[in-house]
Amino acid sequence: MRDKSEHATTIASPVTVAVGLPGDPPVLLCAQLIYEVADPYAVRLSLGAGETREPVDWFFARSLLEEGLRRPAGVGNVLVSPPHRCHRDAVSIVLRSAGGSARIEVPALDTAEFLRRSHELVPMGREGRHIDIDHALAALLNSCE
């Protein structure tokens, strides 16, 4: 009998995150870390997933999240920092946009487990084997019309 996970194309890990906006105390929020074979280089952080309102999704490199577990990583709109003495159990993800910034504290153990599961689905260094070039090119051409 085949294992069902052998055919999985998506990993979704529910997490509770602490969201801090400048000048406001952190707020707990339901979220999901999502990895899809169709976009093998990226992960999605879906804030408010499972809530009554529409979730806010941020996409960034899986390798950035991986590196951020060990040392501060990223430039621009997404910065990831490992747990430190003040927040030993959380990975810090700073999200920036033209409208402002937010610090998201994600449980470190949940993040590491999510990445481990994503590597089982698509090992690091093998992402290119999972890209559907025809589909990606069609999507790109359709967006230009």
Side-chain angles (χ1 to χ4, degrees):
M1 179 197 288
R2 289 185 160 182
D3 183 350
K4 283 193 268 182
S5 64
E6 178 176 332
H7 299 291
T9 59
T10 301
I11 294 169
S13 295
V15 291
T16 300
V17 299
V19 178
L21 300 174
D24 291 334
V27 177
L28 294 180
L29 189 65
C30 293
Q32 283 190 329
L33 287 167
I34 301 167
Y35 180 79
E36 298 177 289
V37 171
D39 192 2
Y41 290 102
V43 294
R44 177 173 19 142
L45 175 60
S46 187
L47 300 168
E51 302 281 330
T52 56
R53 61 186 172 274
E54 194 69 27
V56 175
D57 293 335
W58 280 79
F59 293 84
F60 47 93
R62 176 172 71 161
S63 60
L64 174 63
L65 188 58
E66 181 84 35
E67 184 178 352
L69 278 175
R70 295 184 309 278
R71 62 179 168 266
V75 292
N77 294 337
V78 181
L79 308 170
V80 183
S81 298
H84 57 82
R85 66 179 179 267
C86 295
H87 298 278
R88 294 174 196 247
D89 299 329
V91 174
S92 174
I93 302 173
V94 175
L95 305 174
R96 298 181 191 166
S97 72
S101 66
R103 176 181 302 278
I104 315 298
E105 301 287 338
V106 184
L109 291 176
D110 292 341
T111 303
E113 175 62 13
F114 166 76
L115 286 168
R116 185 194 65 72
R117 290 176 57 214
S118 79
H119 294 152
E120 286 179 353
L121 202 56
V122 178
M124 288 294 265
R126 303 229 174 152
E127 295 92 348
R129 297 179 182 184
H130 294 274
I131 296 177
D132 181 347
I133 298 297
D134 293 332
H135 182 266
L137 185 57
L140 179 62
L141 293 174
N142 286 336
S143 70
C144 293
E145 293 176 356

